[in-house]
């Protein structure tokens, strides 16, 4: 039995579909299990990582557990996004203790790629790394995968980029526009996640998972506009503007400020993979950026109109 936390979220939801297709026995932990789609082979358990409620039951008999939770959400009593790091620390500690007690062999975690130049981490990336350390220290046979942007119709960071292109004819590009990253097709990220608990070589390791193309944020926006078939004029701006820009980006894209602000503070550096160990160990043939975007846009448009197309 494998437990998936964050199953009502983007990555967790996609992973549950993938594991069930393979015929694996899946249990999903959710704060509100009525939000999970009923599926043959899927067992739902109510639980909350912050309070620890339901964890013992959820982990009972599980060999592997996926940790796909973060707390960048509007929180009662918290002012703006200030509390996500302490909530994420508490959630990871609760989970690690419960997984140890239940005899789980391996936790698989998805966090964020860190700046390649060793620069100080943004609060968002520092928190993702702290969660990785808590899980790997408590359960040393675990696997941490680190990704930057996942390209998929429901990926919050990809949706921000698409909404900006869709809704702004003139796209302001602050100083972070030239920083580069290697976005990964959601299907490849989910493939890595599904194989991770079964791969001996991945045990006890932290591996960067990345697509084959390295692009600056400006180039990504340009490629997305091209693939959407719309002309957009970039307006380069000399400063980073994150404190001012994040509420505007949240409002234009319809994503919560509690998510947009921490994500934007991580744009100040190149976020490139340390090496290609993950690709070598798992032997995946990774999809290029353009194919990932075309696939994501096609899925998006099957469910929702994209006004600019
Ligand atoms: N999306 C990307 O591009 C990307 C890229 C790199 C890494 N990642 C990593 O992938 C992981 C999942 O991200 P995502 O994009 O799938 O996030 P998401 O869609 O926002 O999902 C977050 C999930 O966490 C659950 N959750 C939050 N607090 C919880 C708690 N106290 N107890 C139980 N569940 C809780 C949420 O449940 P509710 O539905 O109840 O709120 C939701 O299912 C994160 O670690 C993220 O850093 C994502």
């Amino acid at each position: 039995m494998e437990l998936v936390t964050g199953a009502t979220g983007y990555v967790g939801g996609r992973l549950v579909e993938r594991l069930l297709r393979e015929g694996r026995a899946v249990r999903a932990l959710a704060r509100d299990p009525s939000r999970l789609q009923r599926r043959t082979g899927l067992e739902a358990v109510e639980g909350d990582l912050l309070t620890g409620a339901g964890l013992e039951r959820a982990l009972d008999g599980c060999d592997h557990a996926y940790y796909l939770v973060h707390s960048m959400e509007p929180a009662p009593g918290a002012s703006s996004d200030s509390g996500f790091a302490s909530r994420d620390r508490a959630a990871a500690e609760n989970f690690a203790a419960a997984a140890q007690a239940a005899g789980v062999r391996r936790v698989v975690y998805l966090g964020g790629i860190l700046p390649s130049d060793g620069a100080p981490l943004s609060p968002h990336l520092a928190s993702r790394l702290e969660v990785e350390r808590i899980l790997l220290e408590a359960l040393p046979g675990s696997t941490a995968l680190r990704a930057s942007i996942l390209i998929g119709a429901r990926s919050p960071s990809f949706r921000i980029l698409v909404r900006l292109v869709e809704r702004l004819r003139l796209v302001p590009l602050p100083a972070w526009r030239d920083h580069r990253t290697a976005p990964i097709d959601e299907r490849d990220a989910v493939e890595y996640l599904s194989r991770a608990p079964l791969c001996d070589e991945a045990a006890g390791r932290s591996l960067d998972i990345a697509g084959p193309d390295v692009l600056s944020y400006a180039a990504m926006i340009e490629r997305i506009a091209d693939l959407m078939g719309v002309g957009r004029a970039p307006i380069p701006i000399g400063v980073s503007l994150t404190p001012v820009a994040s509420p505007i980006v949240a409002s234009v894209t319809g994503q919560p400020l509690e998510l947009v602000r921490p994500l934007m503070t991580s744009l100040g550096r190149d976020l490139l993979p340390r090496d290609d160990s993950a690709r070598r160990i798992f032997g995946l043939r990774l999809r290029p950026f353009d194919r990932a975007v075309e696939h994501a846009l096609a899925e998006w448009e099957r469910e929702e109109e994209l006004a600019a197309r």
Side-chain angles (χ1 to χ4, degrees):
M1 178 64 77
E2 294 171 279
L3 178 70
V4 179
T5 63
T8 50
Y10 160 57
V11 180
R14 291 287 146 122
L15 179 68
V16 165
E17 285 168 27
R18 171 73 180 73
L19 298 178
L20 290 175
R21 265 207 311 279
E22 227 183 280
R24 286 158 69 168
V26 182
R27 188 179 290 154
L29 175 138
R31 292 188 284 195
D32 176 4
S34 70
R35 293 184 45 227
L36 291 167
Q37 231 189 324
R38 281 176 197 274
R39 307 278 301 268
T40 314
L42 180 66
E43 185 191 329
V45 171
E46 186 171 338
D48 188 325
L49 269 59
L50 261 183
T51 63
L55 275 179
E56 192 181 334
R57 194 172 143 230
L59 287 159
D60 183 40
C62 286
D63 213 24
H64 314 134
Y66 287 96
Y67 193 96
L68 300 169
V69 162
H70 68 74
S71 301
M72 293 188 299
E73 58 182 359
S79 62
S80 74
D81 51 19
S82 56
F84 72 84
S86 56
R87 291 196 298 276
D88 274 327
R89 182 182 317 120
E93 285 172 350
N94 285 340
F95 185 79
Q100 262 180 339
V104 169
R105 272 195 317 113
R106 191 181 305 190
V107 171
V108 177
Y109 166 65
L110 182 64
I113 287 186
L114 304 180
S116 11
D117 58 4
L121 300 181
S122 67
H124 164 232
L125 290 174
S127 167
R128 299 290 76 206
L129 178 63
E130 184 179 28
V131 170
E132 175 183 306
R133 288 194 175 135
I134 291 169
L135 297 174
L136 277 170
E137 271 171 37
L139 296 121
S142 296
T143 301
L145 301 177
R146 298 180 185 171
S148 65
I149 298 179
L150 264 59
I151 305 295
R154 293 188 180 280
S155 168
S157 34
F158 178 66
R159 292 182 74 87
I160 290 172
L161 295 175
V162 172
R163 287 294 189 210
L164 286 174
V165 169
E166 181 194 28
R167 294 176 177 174
L168 299 177
R169 285 189 178 282
L170 306 175
V171 186
L173 291 176
W176 43 255
R177 65 185 170 275
D178 294 325
H179 295 136
R180 299 163 307 149
T181 191
I184 181 167
D185 189 308
E186 154 197 301
R187 294 166 292 179
D188 293 332
V190 169
E191 188 64 31
Y192 273 124
L193 284 165
S194 77
R195 292 190 193 186
L198 313 173
C199 173
D200 288 342
E201 226 188 307
R205 295 189 66 164
S206 154
L207 297 163
D208 290 349
I209 60 170
D213 299 313
V214 171
L215 292 98
S216 67
Y217 294 100
M220 250 184 270
I221 286 175
E222 194 183 310
R223 288 304 308 138
I224 291 171
D226 249 25
L227 293 163
M228 286 172 70
V230 297
R232 289 292 177 257
I235 312 285
I237 298 171
V239 285
S240 110
L241 289 180
T242 299
V244 186
S246 46
I248 300 170
V249 170
S251 144
V252 169
T253 62
Q255 294 285 341
L257 180 59
E258 292 78 3
L259 175 72
V260 171
R261 185 160 30 211
L263 288 181
M264 284 188 67
T265 59
S266 300
L267 301 175
R269 300 279 166 182
D270 283 349
L271 298 176
L272 300 174
R274 285 164 287 180
D275 53 39
D276 75 341
S277 303
R279 196 195 47 71
R280 190 180 41 73
I281 291 172
F282 291 89
L284 288 196
R285 198 154 151 217
L286 299 159
R287 296 167 172 94
F289 181 77
D290 282 10
R291 251 179 85 195
V293 172
E294 284 285 25
H295 181 266
L297 291 176
E299 184 186 334
W300 186 323
E301 287 189 303
R302 279 197 294 277
E303 291 169 13
E304 239 178 293
E305 204 174 320
L306 262 173
R309 287 267 246 188

